[in-house]
Amino acid sequence: EMKDLPDIVAARSMHEQIKSTRQELQRGLDVTPYADAVGLAEEYNQLYTLFDGSTKQLNAAIAQAQGFTYVTKETQEAEALLSEITILWYLQEDLQTGGYYDGAQPGQNPAEVVQLDNITSHYNDYSGFNYVTDIGQYIVRKVYYILLLRNALYDFCAVPDGVNDAVPQADDIGCPETPELVSAQAFLQQLDATRAAMQEAEQVVREDLLITAMQMADALFFNNDDVERVRALRDRVIELNEESRKALWIMDKDRMKAVYDNANAIRLTTAHLEYIGGLLELGAMEWLKYEIKKARELEDNMRKIRLAIAMKDLTLDQFGHMFTLESLKNMRSPENYASQKLISLDRKKLAAGMLSYSKHAAHTSLVDFSHHVNENDPQSNKLVNQLIKDSTRTFKNIMGYMGDKKANYPTTLVQEILQICLDQPLMRSEVYLQTIKQITNHPIPGNQRKGYELLAVWCWQFPPQDDLDNILEIYLRSVPEKSIGYLGRLRDVQYSGTSPTAPGVDEIDRFVRDFFGNASTHSKYQEVLPIADAPYPDGFFLFETPKSLF
């Protein structure tokens, strides 16, 4: 009868309810399915199924307990486990997103791949939670080390050593096969190799090493001040190497000197630069030989002329003492000159004054034209006689222009001499010698000045014969003024050629005014023009032998 009493019935119902609730709580608190913490965390698909089942079981058990206000240690443990599983669910999802998995071959910048906000926020919020399960402790520890890796990868450009610090620490995750750890290890290995390649390239300063190092850095999206410094060095080395090849191929000495100095400043050396260094140490004459050969090969006519002038100047600097008027082979000897005068009271005086000012007309030429006589050519005697006749005529005109003989139209006399010399090249050396003769020891400065005017006009209009060329240049170096101008005009006409007709009187007078009124200038052929680049052959790129220079 008592077992049917209301209180007993109620108590019996409560007992059954408690038994049922405890069974549900115990099912929810069973964490044996999570025993393989590492395996579940790494092969996460099963883990989410367990999380889902545990969450539903715990929520149902807790709700059942709350239905009759049942509070015990078990219900408190269930609520704590439910919170732990909920947190772990968040953290596991954070681990599965925003990581870097491309290892040593990133498809994009690792710093832009890794995600830090959610995982960092959740770790900061929940790292102090009291995790009672092995899976909970493993996931939280893994989050800590993954955060180390991600932060290191996020800042790897600015702090590359951070990756070196983070990866060894992350070995303590507890699973060496963790994809993010494996990826970071591969990335670190390649990053170390890249930094070592950069260091070697910067020390050795070699183009191929610098290019390889930058390719490695670019492949990793690695960029910071160190990389930019090596990149700038690479670009500079490429630039200097190409410039050294171009400058050496065309043998532009100024460019060779500049590139050699710039290369030395960064410790760059190549076969081309070493050869440039050797060429720069050559003496002026030896260097000119190389440069003339190159100008000839490149068919640079203006450069060939300029260099020929420079070589001639160097030669005359060294051997100029050998080129005196007296050394001219085709000039008459003083004795021969004096003997050509039929009547003379003092032949010794006449001979001694052959190359000095004379107030008397010429009785013969200064040049000995007799070597033009050919026994097999009857006309050769006629030619020689005409040359001697023209010589006396040109000397008379020279005296007229200089004021040593009266002349109404002195410039016309000059024009006449010019036409004779333009028509008959054999007369040119004679006219130069006659002018020099009449200038030498002239007692009247004003008349002597007119002789220098004539000399300038001759240099402007025609060159001497080859045998007088060097002798005339040495003489022109010693004129009182305008030496550069005389030589400049002479070189202009030597390389430009003569006109078939003499200039007009007004043009001659204008030239004389300009020549002595304006600053003297070198020949236009002495102007140093920029040397145009010329494509070098493939063999010159390697430069295995100096023979490839030409």
Side-chain angles (χ1 to χ4, degrees):
E1 292 179 358
M2 289 184 63
K3 63 183 180 182
D4 292 326
L5 291 174
D7 288 344
I8 292 176
V9 171
R12 187 181 297 115
S13 175
M14 176 64 71
H15 180 253
E16 292 298 324
Q17 195 171 7
I18 290 173
K19 285 174 60 180
S20 173
T21 300
R22 289 193 65 195
Q23 288 175 351
E24 294 301 318
L25 287 171
Q26 288 168 1
R27 288 193 189 97
L29 289 170
D30 182 13
V31 293
T32 54
Y34 296 97
D36 184 12
V38 174
L40 289 170
E42 298 300 330
E43 301 291 339
Y44 47 83
N45 289 327
Q46 184 182 358
L47 179 62
Y48 287 124
T49 301
L50 291 175
F51 279 165
D52 183 60
S54 294
T55 300
K56 289 177 180 178
Q57 179 65 38
L58 288 169
N59 277 325
I62 292 170
Q64 185 173 332
Q66 290 173 343
F68 62 102
T69 318
Y70 179 65
V71 178
T72 67
K73 181 180 179 182
E74 283 181 325
T75 60
Q76 292 173 346
E77 289 175 351
E79 289 174 347
L81 181 58
L82 178 62
S83 295
E84 180 173 337
I85 290 174
T86 303
I87 293 171
L88 295 179
W89 200 323
Y90 290 150
L91 293 177
Q92 185 66 22
E93 287 180 339
D94 290 338
L95 287 171
Q96 290 172 218
T97 58
Y100 173 73
Y101 302 100
D102 289 344
Q105 297 179 320
Q108 62 186 103
N109 191 337
E112 297 173 0
V113 172
V114 296
Q115 297 176 14
L116 293 169
D117 292 345
N118 287 342
I119 193 169
T120 301
S121 175
H122 289 155
Y123 181 77
N124 290 338
D125 289 343
Y126 304 127
S127 60
F129 188 86
N130 183 27
Y131 297 93
V132 297
T133 64
D134 291 341
I135 187 71
Q137 292 171 7
Y138 176 77
I139 289 177
V140 171
R141 183 170 71 251
K142 181 178 178 180
V143 169
Y144 169 77
Y145 288 118
I146 293 300
L147 272 174
L148 284 180
L149 293 177
R150 291 189 185 183
N151 277 294
L153 289 169
Y154 183 80
D155 291 328
F156 86 96
C157 286
V159 191
D161 285 335
V163 185
N164 292 76
D165 295 335
V167 170
Q169 291 185 59
D171 286 339
D172 291 336
I173 282 178
C175 178
E177 292 83 21
T178 297
E180 272 195 79
L181 174 59
V182 172
S183 174
Q185 289 170 337
F187 183 85
L188 173 60
Q189 185 176 8
Q190 189 62 19
L191 180 61
D192 284 344
T194 299
R195 295 176 73 189
M198 286 170 50
Q199 184 178 18
E200 180 187 10
E202 196 170 20
Q203 289 174 347
V204 177
V205 192
R206 210 174 77 192
E207 181 175 332
D208 59 330
L209 295 180
L210 288 163
I211 289 174
T212 299
M214 287 301 94
Q215 289 173 340
M216 294 171 69
D218 290 341
L220 290 182
F221 299 90
F222 182 38
N223 191 39
N224 57 21
D225 289 345
D226 292 338
V227 176
E228 286 305 307
R229 185 181 67 252
V230 177
R231 192 186 309 280
L233 179 61
R234 178 205 62 183
D235 294 344
R236 183 61 169 156
V237 165
I238 291 174
E239 176 189 12
L240 290 176
N241 280 344
E242 178 62 9
E243 174 62 9
S244 71
R245 291 187 287 269
K246 287 180 176 180
L248 180 57
W249 177 247
I250 63 175
M251 297 206 72
D252 186 329
K253 193 170 189 178
D254 289 341
R255 286 174 63 180
M256 288 166 59
K257 179 67 166 61
V259 74
Y260 186 74
D261 290 343
N262 288 331
N264 280 339
I266 61 172
R267 298 178 290 104
L268 172 63
T269 180
T270 64
H272 296 85
L273 288 165
E274 289 177 1
Y275 199 72
I276 285 175
L279 289 175
L280 292 175
E281 293 179 356
L282 292 176
M285 185 66 77
E286 288 301 311
W287 163 255
L288 280 174
K289 291 177 182 177
Y290 276 95
E291 194 176 2
I292 289 174
K293 183 177 180 181
K294 177 56 70 172
R296 188 180 301 117
E297 178 185 78
L298 297 178
E299 299 181 350
D300 188 342
N301 192 54
M302 290 295 289
R303 186 183 181 191
K304 282 193 294 183
I305 293 173
R306 175 176 61 81
L307 296 174
I309 292 172
M311 180 167 280
K312 185 176 183 180
D313 282 342
L314 286 175
T315 302
L316 293 180
D317 288 344
Q318 186 174 1
F319 303 106
H321 61 280
M322 299 169 58
F323 299 103
T324 62
L325 286 171
E326 291 75 16
S327 67
L328 182 61
K329 292 181 180 180
N330 289 331
M331 187 170 65
R332 296 182 187 273
S333 67
E335 294 76 18
N336 179 276
Y337 176 75
S339 70
Q340 299 301 308
K341 190 170 180 63
L342 295 177
I343 301 173
S344 177
L345 297 177
D346 191 345
R347 292 190 185 277
K348 288 185 178 181
K349 182 178 180 181
L350 185 61
M354 184 180 82
L355 291 178
S356 292
Y357 158 78
S358 173
K359 61 183 178 180
H360 303 292
H363 63 279
T364 189
S365 63
L366 294 172
V367 172
D368 184 359
F369 293 115
S370 63
H371 62 279
H372 293 290
V373 175
N374 185 345
E375 294 179 357
N376 298 321
D377 182 6
Q379 296 296 319
S380 63
N381 279 314
K382 185 177 179 181
L383 171 63
V384 171
N385 291 334
Q386 184 62 47
L387 290 171
I388 293 173
K389 181 179 178 180
D390 286 344
S391 297
T392 59
R393 180 180 172 189
T394 55
F395 189 73
K396 180 180 178 181
N397 285 10
I398 289 171
M399 293 180 72
Y401 183 81
M402 291 180 65
D404 299 328
K405 183 179 180 297
K406 187 175 180 180
N408 293 327
Y409 304 102
T411 307
T412 302
L413 301 176
V414 177
Q415 187 182 33
E416 183 180 352
I417 297 173
L418 286 174
Q419 194 60 58
I420 290 173
C421 291
L422 293 173
D423 292 339
Q424 179 49 272
L426 294 174
M427 282 297 300
R428 295 173 184 177
S429 290
E430 176 68 22
V431 168
Y432 273 110
L433 290 173
Q434 289 176 351
T435 307
I436 292 171
K437 165 185 170 63
Q438 204 61 1
I439 288 172
T440 305
N441 300 323
H442 200 297
I444 305 172
N447 292 19
Q448 187 182 51
R449 165 63 181 259
K450 301 294 283 185
Y452 284 117
E453 290 178 5
L454 287 176
L455 201 57
V457 172
W458 310 152
C459 290
W460 170 44
Q461 284 296 304
F462 58 82
Q465 295 299 102
D466 290 344
D467 58 348
L468 183 62
D469 184 26
N470 290 337
I471 294 171
L472 178 61
E473 285 215 20
I474 291 298
Y475 177 83
L476 293 176
R477 289 185 177 194
S478 64
V479 296
E481 59 176 333
K482 302 287 183 179
S483 175
I484 292 175
Y486 289 105
L487 291 169
R489 304 299 69 73
L490 178 61
R491 288 162 177 170
D492 284 345
V493 78
Q494 282 176 325
Y495 293 104
S496 295
T498 59
S499 171
T501 57
V505 170
D506 291 342
E507 190 177 354
I508 295 171
D509 288 337
R510 184 167 54 253
F511 168 78
V512 171
R513 286 195 304 272
D514 291 345
F515 184 86
F516 289 95
N518 299 328
S520 296
T521 58
H522 286 286
S523 167
K524 63 184 179 182
Y525 292 101
Q526 290 178 270
E527 181 182 356
V528 180
L529 301 174
I531 304 172
D533 279 336
Y536 52 79
D538 293 340
F540 184 70
F541 185 90
L542 299 175
F543 201 64
E544 295 175 342
T545 169
K547 291 182 180 179
S548 61
L549 180 57
F550 296 99

